Amino acid sequence: MKAIVFERLGGPEVMEYREFPKPELRAGTVIVKNHVIAINYGDTFFIRGTYLVKPLFPDIPGMEAAGVIEAVAPDVTELKPGMRVAYIGMGSYAEYTRIGASRVMVLPEEMSFEQGAAFPIAVLTAWHMLHTCDDVGAGQSVIVHSAAGGVGIAAVQIAKAAGAQVIGTVSNDAKMELVRRFGADHVINYETQDFAEQALKLTNGRGVDLILDAVGKPTFEKGLKCLAPFGHLIVFGRAGGLPERLSPMALMAKSIKVSGFAVTMIYAFRDIHRRAVDAVFRLAREGRLTIPIGGSFPLAQAALAHRLIESRRSTGKLLLIP
Ligand SMILES: NC(=O)c1ccc[n+]([C@@H]2O[C@H](COP(=O)([O-])OP(=O)(O)OC[C@H]3O[C@@H](n4cnc5c(N)ncnc54)[C@H](OP(=O)(O)O)[C@@H]3O)[C@@H](O)[C@H]2O)c1
């Protein structure tokens, strides 16, 4: 089969489009023929060797895709060949991927492979932060950093659907219209404006109840300043570098909390995972959750797509077509 393969750590230049052995079934797995593969910012960490999971050379990048099940191990009873599915799991930049059955989600009939590929990581990450790690609802305010990106634009819509006031941040004016169109009440360019000052103004000095922060160093400390009493800041990435160390004593005065989230641990909690999958597919069916596609590339051009997501100019999800 054709795949993107890399044999040394580095940037987009280490990825090579070439022949690679097709994966074989193992107990508890299925083989998926990938129709559409989605890119995650984490893929850029994976090929650099700085992601949670480390590569085993020669390795294939990629963490999610949508396609059709080609083969099913005898001990997997709930999935059948021919089913349209999406999944979260390593090695998706290829024509075929072997994936653990628990990582597979059956796609609703009406959902395209493009939306199916764009959904799992961005949408489940956003949903769990808003509804598993927190319980956002009407009367609350949320800052979504990098709101035009994959997780960001999902979070804007899910927070809005829950009735919250949503403040999105972006690093350039060109992304502002998209974030407004997808439901944000306010959008701040955090490169040219102090987002903490603006958020305090927008909430009449009270501050925001929840902040979703995967930027890190440039946003973390300012975020603490504009949290409301009992507010909550969730750290789920560090695209802009590691935040400064924080003393727990700094949380006392406003009774605020800081927590972390990684979507990769959620599979160990089947009921919580099921609840999220049902909720996000329901929102999609109701027309309240769609992920904009910021670009679609042939699989062979994965390096080009990585350069785009690293440039900070991409919006929504970038897709690869095998
Ligand atoms: N913990 C988890 O389970 C989990 C799951 C998925 C994603 N994530 C994290 O969530 C973030 C978003 O992921 P995504 O795949 O949806 O990507 P994305 O938001 O579509 O693209 C990355 C965005 O990060 C922002 N960014 C901020 N500082 C940056 C910098 N110094 N260099 C490059 N980009 C920078 C950019 O938006 P602006 O310039 O507009 O801010 C850029 O568009 C990433 O940090 C990722 O690692 C975590």
Side-chain angles (χ1 to χ4, degrees), residues 75-148:
D75 61 333
V76 174
T77 51
E78 70 279 21
L79 297 169
K80 301 273 173 278
M83 281 179 157
R84 298 169 75 253
V85 297
Y87 64 84
I88 300 178
M90 304 308 284
S92 68
Y93 286 15
E95 287 182 292
Y96 296 89
T97 302
R98 177 181 58 231
I99 199 83
S102 66
R103 298 301 191 97
V104 172
M105 289 156 253
V106 178
L107 287 180
E109 242 172 61
E110 66 283 0
M111 188 175 268
S112 65
F113 285 125
E114 282 76 13
Q115 283 297 303
F119 246 58
I121 293 185
V123 167
L124 290 175
T125 300
W127 195 90
H128 281 300
M129 289 192 290
L130 292 162
H131 290 299
T132 306
C133 306
D134 204 289
D135 183 21
V136 78
Q140 292 184 308
S141 50
V142 185
I143 289 183
V144 177
H145 285 306
S146 305

Side-chain angles (χ1 to χ4, degrees), residues 58-281:
D59 210 336
I60 297 175
M63 304 180 188
E64 67 184 337
V68 173
I69 295 185
E70 194 194 62
V72 179
D75 61 333
V76 174
T77 51
E78 70 279 21
L79 297 169
K80 301 273 173 278
M83 281 179 157
R84 298 169 75 253
V85 297
Y87 64 84
I88 300 178
M90 304 308 284
S92 68
Y93 286 15
E95 287 182 292
Y96 296 89
T97 302
R98 177 181 58 231
I99 199 83
S102 66
R103 298 301 191 97
V104 172
M105 289 156 253
V106 178
L107 287 180
E109 242 172 61
E110 66 283 0
M111 188 175 268
S112 65
F113 285 125
E114 282 76 13
Q115 283 297 303
F119 246 58
I121 293 185
V123 167
L124 290 175
T125 300
W127 195 90
H128 281 300
M129 289 192 290
L130 292 162
H131 290 299
T132 306
C133 306
D134 204 289
D135 183 21
V136 78
Q140 292 184 308
S141 50
V142 185
I143 289 183
V144 177
H145 285 306
S146 305
V151 179
I153 206 70
V156 166
Q157 295 171 78
I158 297 169
K160 210 54 216 162
Q165 178 193 22
V166 180
I167 302 169
T169 74
V170 292
S171 67
N172 71 61
D173 288 353
K175 296 178 181 177
M176 292 175 98
E177 203 278 317
L178 176 100
V179 178
R180 267 192 214 104
R181 186 153 37 91
F182 278 80
D185 299 280
H186 308 280
V187 189
I188 301 168
N189 179 334
Y190 72 115
E191 287 290 321
T192 56
Q193 287 188 295
D194 184 319
F195 78 85
E197 266 176 26
Q198 294 300 317
L200 283 166
K201 267 191 207 153
L202 291 168
T203 55
N204 300 318
R206 181 178 164 272
V208 297
D209 299 291
L210 178 63
I211 301 180
L212 308 185
D213 189 350
V215 179
K217 195 174 172 63
T219 48
F220 180 71
E221 277 188 36
K222 273 191 186 171
L224 298 179
K225 286 192 188 137
C226 68
L227 271 185
F230 304 107
H232 182 190
L233 187 155
I234 306 178
V235 176
F236 69 108
R238 52 175 167 90
L242 289 175
E244 299 300 329
R245 276 172 182 270
L246 171 74
S247 162
M249 303 310 287
L251 308 175
M252 277 176 59
K254 286 197 289 180
S255 303
I256 54 177
K257 56 181 174 283
V258 173
S259 70
F261 178 72
V263 76
T264 40
M265 51 74 73
I266 215 70
Y267 295 96
F269 304 91
R270 288 182 77 121
D271 291 349
I272 297 176
H273 177 53
R274 191 70 258 158
R275 191 166 68 104
V277 171
D278 290 347
V280 299
F281 283 158

